[in-house]
């Protein structure tokens, strides 16, 4: 197993109250300005990301040569809180990250372990190449909020655009060399767009073995590709980052030219196998996201609402105010017949008395998402027809959640079939006359999907695989009754879905979103 190197390990032999030249070189800051004002001394042994918990490294790792700094300068003391990175670190954002963490809840060691597991799954001397997301623009200079490519984030913890990671397996064990190519420090660019981490931080903070300027990718990648037995990547099938990987349907781009003579295989199946089983840290993050999101739902149910957009704005505020970083996805806030559209996201209609509002939303914490759907009456009380349909769906949802355990030997596909049969029986008991495949008109989507860093996590991973401890899934039966003479009149126009995020355990399911109430008695009691 490859261990994460302590950050700024080069500083171990320096005086404990000072930081040396490599740090100041990394941040391109004049020494005079750093040393001119009084600073609290910082002990190198307690610097960023787990350095206080010294980790020994295997001999193969310890003996690797690292690229030397370009120059050496005298020492100067510097406050860690004044250092600038392209993303939060514990010393600059202790309210967001604990010591040892690269991203909320996930340590530098866990990221190193993930890379080691990927390397172990690669053939001897193979490489995996991953690109970050790039900055996407809605128009002109107006950009969308940045969201990192999930596989790249999963392996690196690096949350900036315009970067490439290469995991180079060395030998037949799980050992590897981690290359991280990224944007260099640039004072002028950072004046406009904020801090960048830069090449030295790739080594010292993100535990890369080698780093380089992304602008030199044309010379950095070919030696790695040419020396590899096989190349695992998904870049050639997607837009990827920057001009280097774009224009996939045009004549071969630069990257495609580089790999044209290589044995190229898809990386996604290997990444799905790693990502589908969540670690305890990942489950904890998802539980935090679920708890905050569930409480926001319950808070929303306490209040009267007249417009879909107002309800949506409240949820987004409550997610963030509770501790989530953002909404996990564009929410569905669907009043009345708007709920008949599964992915209704206009969220611009009025909410009418006597109707149900269906809300599908969730927050994101540490990059991990919660996915919740609740349906409740706008005027506080369920009508008789609403109550009957809601209870029919809730019974099936409870039953399906109970099957999300390893000893039940279930798959998502099996649970879906059980849900279809259960909904058919329940609806026929309240006045429907379902035959054949009628249920697929009223219940057109699957019972659930995998969740994690993505709302639909591990895309392409089969729903026919038996559920194992550590898998995280949704359970979301729903019924959407068209305004059609085929269906009982008093149910027409109703759309009701009930969804929870669930973690599979050996003998019991762990409901990650239990704070969102769903029993009728609880929903109605909230506004009494």
């Amino acid at each position: 197993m490859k261990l994460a190197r302590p950050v700024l390990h080069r500083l171990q032999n320096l005086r404990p109250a000072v930081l040396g030249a490599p740090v100041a070189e990394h941040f391109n800051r004049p020494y005079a300005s750093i040393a001119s004002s009084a600073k609290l001394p910082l002990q190198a042994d307690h610097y960023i990301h787990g350095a206080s918990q010294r980790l020994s490294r295997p001999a193969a790792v310890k003996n690797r040569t690292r690229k030397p700094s370009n120059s050496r300068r005298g020492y100067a003391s510097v406050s860690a809180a004044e250092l600038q990175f392209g993303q939060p670190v514990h010393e600059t954002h202790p309210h967001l990250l604990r010591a040892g963490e690269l991203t909320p809840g996930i340590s530098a060691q866990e990221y190193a372990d993930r890379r080691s597991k990927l390397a172990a799954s690669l053939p001897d001397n193979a490489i995996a190449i991953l690109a970050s997301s790039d900055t996407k623009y809605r128009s002109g200079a107006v950009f969308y909020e940045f969201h990192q490519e999930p596989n790249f984030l999963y392996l690196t913890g690096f949350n900036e655009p315009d970067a490439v990671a290469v995991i180079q397996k060395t030998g037949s064990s799980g050992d590897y060399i981690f290359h991280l190519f990224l944007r260099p420090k640039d004072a002028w660019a950072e004046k406009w767009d904020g801090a960048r981490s830069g090449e030295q931080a790739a080594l010292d903070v993100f535990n890369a073995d080698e780093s380089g300027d992304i602008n030199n990718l044309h010379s950095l990648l070919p030696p790695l590709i040419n020396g590899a037995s096989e190349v695992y990547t998904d870049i050639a099938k997607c837009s990827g980052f920057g001009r280097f990987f774009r224009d996939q349907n045009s004549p071969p781009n630069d990257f495609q030219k580089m790999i044209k003579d290589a044995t190229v295989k898809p990386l996604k199946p290997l990444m799905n196998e790693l990502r589908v089983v969540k670690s305890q840290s990942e489950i904890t993050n998802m539980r935090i996201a679920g708890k905050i999101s569930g409480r926001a739902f319950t808070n929303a149910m306490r209040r009267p609402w007249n417009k879909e957009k107002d309800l949506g704005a409240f949820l987004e505020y409550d997610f963030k105010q509770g501790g989530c970083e953002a909404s996990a996805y564009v929410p569905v806030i669907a009043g009345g017949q708007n709920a008949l559209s599964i992915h209704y996201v206009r969220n611009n209609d009025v909410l009418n008395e006597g109707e149900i509002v269906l809300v599908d939303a969730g927050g994101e914490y540490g990059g991990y998402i919660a996915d919740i759907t609740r349906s409740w009456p706008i005027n506080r009380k369920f009508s008789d027809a609403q109550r009957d349909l809601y209870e029919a769906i809730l019974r099936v949802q409870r039953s399906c959640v109970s099957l999300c355990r390893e000893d039940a030997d279930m798959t998502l596909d099996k649970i879906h079939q059980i849900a279809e049969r259960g909904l058919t029986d329940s609806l026929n008991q309240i006045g429907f006359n379902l035959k054949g495949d009628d249920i697929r008109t009223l219940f057109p989507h699957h019972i659930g999907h995998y969740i994690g860093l993505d709302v639909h996590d591990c895309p392409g991973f089969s729903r026919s695989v038996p559920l194992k401890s550590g898998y995280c899934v949704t359970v979301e039966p729903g019924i959407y009754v068209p305004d059609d003479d085929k269906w009982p009149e008093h149910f027409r126009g109703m759309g009701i879905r009930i969804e929870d995020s669930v973690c599979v355990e050996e003998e019991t399911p762990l409901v990650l979103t239990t704070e969102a109430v769903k029993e009728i008695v609880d929903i109605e009691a909230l506004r009494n």
Side-chain angles (χ1 to χ4, degrees), residues 106-293:
I106 309 296
S107 68
Q109 181 64 65
E110 181 159 337
Y111 283 108
D113 292 343
R114 293 171 178 180
R115 294 190 293 270
S116 184
K117 289 177 181 178
L118 174 62
S121 70
L122 295 173
D124 293 357
N125 300 313
I127 63 173
I129 305 177
L130 303 95
S132 73
S133 298
D134 56 353
T135 302
K136 295 181 172 57
Y137 292 85
R138 55 186 297 174
S139 64
V142 181
F143 49 83
Y144 289 103
E145 184 175 6
F146 180 72
H147 185 77
Q148 188 59 280
E149 199 283 320
N151 285 336
F152 183 91
L153 179 64
Y154 182 83
L155 291 175
T156 68
F158 187 68
N159 203 24
E160 295 182 39
D162 300 348
V164 168
V166 180
I167 311 300
Q168 180 184 17
K169 183 169 183 176
T170 56
S172 58
S173 69
D175 201 10
Y176 63 91
I177 299 174
F178 172 31
H179 305 259
L180 184 57
F181 308 128
L182 68 173
R183 302 175 302 177
K185 297 293 289 183
D186 183 328
W188 179 252
E190 292 176 62
K191 182 181 182 71
W192 290 93
D193 299 327
R196 298 177 177 182
S197 293
E199 296 168 71
Q200 193 66 44
L203 305 174
D204 294 335
V205 176
F206 297 96
N207 287 303
D209 296 293
E210 302 288 348
S211 69
D213 183 343
I214 192 68
N215 297 302
N216 298 327
L217 208 56
H218 290 84
S219 60
L220 293 169
L221 276 184
L224 298 174
I225 294 171
N226 295 336
S229 61
E230 296 177 1
V231 176
Y232 285 75
T233 187
D234 300 317
I235 294 173
K237 298 180 181 179
C238 60
S239 60
F241 118 86
R243 290 185 296 274
F244 192 85
F245 298 115
R246 283 185 185 158
D247 303 320
Q248 303 300 321
N249 296 320
S250 301
N253 59 31
D254 293 341
F255 181 66
Q256 289 169 328
K257 292 175 183 177
M258 286 183 187
I259 62 175
K260 67 181 179 65
D261 295 324
T263 301
V264 180
K265 294 186 176 180
L267 179 61
K268 184 171 72 171
L270 300 183
M271 292 303 303
N272 282 348
E273 289 288 343
L274 291 179
R275 286 176 53 187
V276 72
V277 179
K278 303 301 186 285
S279 70
Q280 188 55 55
S281 296
E282 293 179 287
I283 294 168
T284 297
N285 274 8
M286 296 176 72
R287 179 69 184 103
I288 292 171
K291 182 182 294 185
I292 295 168
S293 303

Side-chain angles (χ1 to χ4, degrees), residues 64-81:
R64 290 183 190 149
T65 58
R66 299 284 294 277
K67 290 187 177 179
S69 300
N70 294 329
S71 61
R72 300 292 182 196
R73 302 179 184 173
Y75 300 148
S77 63
V78 59
S79 168

Side-chain angles (χ1 to χ4, degrees), residues 16 73 80 135 146 152 163-164 179 209 232 242 254 264 281 315 350 355 358-359 372 413 421 432 461 474 493 498 526:
R73 302 179 184 173
T135 302
F146 180 72
F152 183 91
V164 168
H179 305 259
D209 296 293
Y232 285 75
D254 293 341
V264 180
S281 296
L315 283 172
V350 296
E355 294 182 335
L358 184 155
V359 178
I372 306 174
D413 282 342
R421 292 195 295 269
F432 286 80
F461 191 79
T474 63
I498 306 170
L526 287 172

Side-chain angles (χ1 to χ4, degrees), residues 477-499:
I479 293 294
Y480 317 90
V481 187
D483 188 6
D484 187 308
D485 291 344
K486 184 175 182 178
W487 317 112
E489 183 175 2
H490 46 289
F491 294 120
R492 294 175 198 165
M494 287 189 199
I496 295 175
R497 182 164 68 252
I498 306 170
E499 174 186 20

